[in-house]
Amino acid sequence: MVNDISCRNFEKVNEILEKYDYKPSNLISIFQEVQEIYRYLPEEILVYISTAMRIAPSRIFGVATFYESFSLEPKGKNLIKVCDGTACHVRNSDKILSTTKEILNLKGDAKTTDDMLFTLETVSCLGACGLAPVIVINDKVYGNMTPEKVRQLINDIKEVSCNDQDS
Ligand code: FES
């Protein structure tokens, strides 16, 4: 994950700004590409965009906080979304959520693991109610979930991640 705000990273942001012609009407697309790099919108980068595009910081932060798809908090490498919509809820999605939190050792309101490997979110409906309870991991939908299946999926990701570090 890109954490430091080095010159090189600003260069990447400059490339994005140039690609979109510094046009305020392209702000959403610019944010989307920046978020692809960092997995969230770092405050320093938003301030930089504000200056470079000559748009008031209040407007920049207003847009960034208005859309749910943008995050101003750092996210983990893997994004897990547990559906808590009606269909999933009646099929015990709360058990899926509590098990996921337990496996990831997330306490209280914490959403991201200390090692930045996982972020856990809840969503209201993923549009796959027939497969309830449903979770999505990195845009892949998994249906008919059980606590055991969640455990297996997370273990698989951890294993791949360990192997990546070893190689
Ligand atoms: S309620 Fe969970 S997918 Fe629709």
Side-chain angles (χ1 to χ4, degrees):
M1 181 170 160
V2 185
N3 270 325
D4 61 319
I5 311 299
S6 66
C7 295
R8 200 161 139 254
N9 297 333
F10 280 119
E11 269 173 32
K12 189 75 196 152
V13 175
N14 281 338
E15 280 172 26
I16 295 168
L17 292 172
E18 272 163 34
K19 178 178 164 188
Y20 288 102
D21 237 356
Y22 292 81
K23 278 191 185 156
S25 57
N26 290 329
L27 204 51
I28 304 284
S29 304
I30 290 167
F31 284 177
Q32 281 169 340
E33 292 211 13
V34 169
Q35 187 159 280
E36 263 175 44
I37 300 173
Y38 295 92
R39 294 200 292 275
Y40 79 113
L41 299 176
E43 189 179 334
E44 295 87 341
I45 297 293
L46 290 181
V47 171
Y48 182 79
I49 290 173
S50 161
T51 307
M53 292 181 72
R54 298 180 187 189
I55 298 175
S58 56
R59 183 157 165 233
I60 292 283
F61 281 89
V63 173
T65 51
F66 180 78
Y67 294 95
E68 255 185 41
S69 57
F70 295 128
S71 172
L72 272 69
E73 299 287 323
K75 287 198 183 188
K77 191 175 171 195
N78 300 283
L79 180 58
I80 302 177
K81 294 179 186 174
V82 174
C83 182
D84 196 28
T86 308
C88 289
H89 193 79
V90 296
R91 294 202 186 160
N92 294 327
S93 60
D94 51 347
K95 185 72 191 149
I96 302 297
L97 182 61
S98 61
T99 303
T100 310
K101 277 185 162 187
E102 188 191 310
I103 299 166
L104 298 179
N105 199 22
L106 291 171
K107 311 264 191 245
D109 291 337
K111 289 183 174 171
T112 300
T113 56
D114 291 343
D115 59 5
M116 298 302 290
L117 197 51
F118 295 96
T119 291
L120 173 63
E121 293 178 348
T122 52
V123 286
S124 49
C125 180
L126 290 161
C129 308
L131 300 173
V134 175
I135 70 168
V136 169
I137 303 181
N138 302 330
D139 294 329
K140 189 165 177 201
V141 177
Y142 298 89
N144 303 309
M145 290 310 294
T146 62
E148 293 69 32
K149 283 188 193 171
V150 173
R151 198 174 291 278
Q152 188 59 54
L153 285 170
I154 291 174
N155 282 343
D156 289 349
I157 293 172
K158 281 183 177 172
E159 222 165 88
V160 170
S161 160
C162 279
N163 290 341
D164 284 353
Q165 278 174 5
D166 291 347
S167 58

